[in-house]
Amino acid sequence: QRIELYKDYELMDADPIISSALDIYADECTVDNQEGMTLKIKTDNNKLYDILHNLFYDVLNIDFNMWSWIRNMTKYGDLFLQMDILDKHGVVNVKPLSSYEIERMEEHDPADPSLIEFSILGDKKEMKQEYEVAHFRLLSDGNFLPYGKSMIEGARKIFKQLTLMEDAMLIHRIMRAPEKRIFKVDIGNIPPNEVENFMNKLINKMKKTPVIDQKTGEYNLRYNIQSVTEDFFLPVRGSDSGTSIESLPGMSNDSAIEDIEYLRNKLMAALRIPKAFLGYEEGVGSKAT
């Protein structure tokens, strides 16, 4: 189930609102202080200060890496870093690990219930000790233990609803947008059993035939604007006698989209991002920053 959640988060990250929200999370977490430092070390031990400063700013290079690390942690709820450790030197390098290819093992050894190990999946299966992997996680919900809960988990259901609603609206508008015509054809005294043949001949004459491109052999659909499925041919006689052509207007593009705006507002509320951060204005609709 965790892998399925990660796949949903990947789809959600493709949405501009959620992607902007993740960027804002990372931006707000990596703001420099007045001294221009992303992380401030407070200690009275000068030697310890030098060691930690070298670890964070030289080895881990947090000025460059922390933004992407925090963004991935808020996206998946977990961040795994494999640390290269040398004797007498400590941590000399770190490598991010994919959340898809690592498992946190707890209480798997009856002889040592407190043992924590990390299983790296893939072509080369490895077991890493607890001190070899740094696991950052968002512990906001115990149901996700021993892993963290993504910041966008609360918006997952609303995102699916919004996606379905937008697809339905797009299909509806495409189907209803073309302007159609109604051909009311006077069939006079034609016998009822011959009306269908008469109408088919008339329709075939009125129908525009698609032109085949001689170079590619494909249909040029620009010449197939008028189609049988778009227009209506109705035989009339008697009091309604008289051939006429009427126009059936298509749906305008300025139709109300209150339902879409409602779901967007719920999505931003679930992400806990103010509308002003994403460049939205009341009464104007979506406006990209």
Side-chain angles (χ1 to χ4, degrees), residues 8 13 31 40 80 83 93 161 176 220 222 260:
D8 287 345
D13 193 12
V31 176
K40 186 174 183 179
F80 300 92
M83 296 179 289
N93 189 29
Q161 292 176 337
R176 297 289 300 275
N220 190 337
R222 289 179 299 178
I260 301 295

Side-chain angles (χ1 to χ4, degrees), residues 29-264:
C29 292
T30 55
V31 176
D32 297 342
N33 60 13
Q34 295 179 351
E35 300 174 0
M37 301 177 65
T38 305
L39 185 145
K40 186 174 183 179
I41 304 171
K42 294 183 179 180
T43 178
D44 297 330
N45 190 327
N46 293 331
K47 182 178 181 181
L48 179 59
Y49 178 89
D50 293 338
I51 293 175
L52 293 178
H53 189 278
N54 175 72
L55 172 65
F56 290 122
Y57 287 95
D58 297 330
V59 178
L60 300 182
N61 193 12
I62 61 174
D63 286 334
F64 178 79
N65 292 322
M66 184 174 286
W67 191 93
S68 60
W69 290 349
I70 291 179
R71 194 182 189 280
N72 280 334
M73 184 176 64
T74 55
K75 176 180 176 180
Y76 297 110
D78 299 281
L79 174 66
F80 300 92
L81 298 178
Q82 180 179 341
M83 296 179 289
D84 295 335
I85 303 175
L86 296 179
D87 293 339
K88 299 181 181 181
H89 295 281
V91 179
V92 296
N93 189 29
V94 292
K95 181 178 68 173
L97 297 174
S98 173
S99 299
Y100 288 88
E101 299 179 354
I102 189 168
E103 290 184 358
R104 182 186 176 102
M105 313 291 290
E106 293 186 3
E107 300 180 358
H108 60 288
D109 188 356
D112 187 1
S114 62
L115 178 64
I116 298 177
E117 293 180 317
F118 294 91
S119 174
I120 300 179
L121 310 177
D123 297 335
K124 297 181 180 180
K125 294 186 177 181
E126 301 180 69
M127 291 294 293
K128 296 292 183 180
Q129 300 300 317
E130 183 179 8
Y131 64 87
E132 295 179 291
V133 176
H135 181 196
F136 299 89
R137 48 184 177 167
L138 301 177
L139 298 177
S140 58
D141 192 338
N143 294 323
F144 289 82
L145 290 175
Y147 302 97
K149 179 182 178 181
S150 171
M151 289 290 292
I152 59 178
E153 170 62 27
R156 191 162 60 92
K157 177 182 177 181
I158 303 172
F159 167 76
K160 292 184 177 181
Q161 292 176 337
L162 177 61
T163 303
L164 292 174
M165 184 66 72
E166 289 178 340
D167 292 343
M169 181 186 70
L170 181 63
I171 294 173
H172 175 71
R173 290 196 172 187
I174 291 176
M175 296 296 294
R176 297 289 300 275
E179 179 179 345
K180 300 181 181 180
R181 285 165 294 277
I182 303 175
F183 293 80
K184 295 183 179 180
V185 182
D186 183 10
I187 58 175
N189 296 325
I190 298 178
N193 57 342
E194 297 180 7
V195 171
E196 183 177 356
N197 293 333
F198 173 78
M199 294 299 299
N200 287 334
K201 291 180 181 179
L202 179 62
I203 292 171
N204 291 332
K205 289 182 180 180
M206 297 295 295
K207 176 182 175 182
K208 290 187 177 180
T209 305
V211 177
I212 298 178
D213 193 332
Q214 298 296 330
K215 296 181 180 180
T216 62
E218 298 180 353
Y219 283 113
N220 190 337
L221 298 180
R222 289 179 299 178
Y223 293 93
N224 194 23
I225 299 176
Q226 181 179 330
S227 174
V228 179
T229 58
E230 295 178 358
D231 298 329
F232 302 95
F233 292 82
L234 305 177
V236 296
R237 73 167 79 204
S239 59
D240 297 329
S241 179
T243 300
S244 65
I245 301 175
E246 299 178 4
S247 179
L248 183 64
M251 185 180 65
S252 61
N253 291 327
D254 57 350
S255 301
I257 56 171
E258 287 83 1
D259 47 358
I260 301 295
E261 291 295 334
Y262 168 74
L263 289 176
R264 282 181 179 172

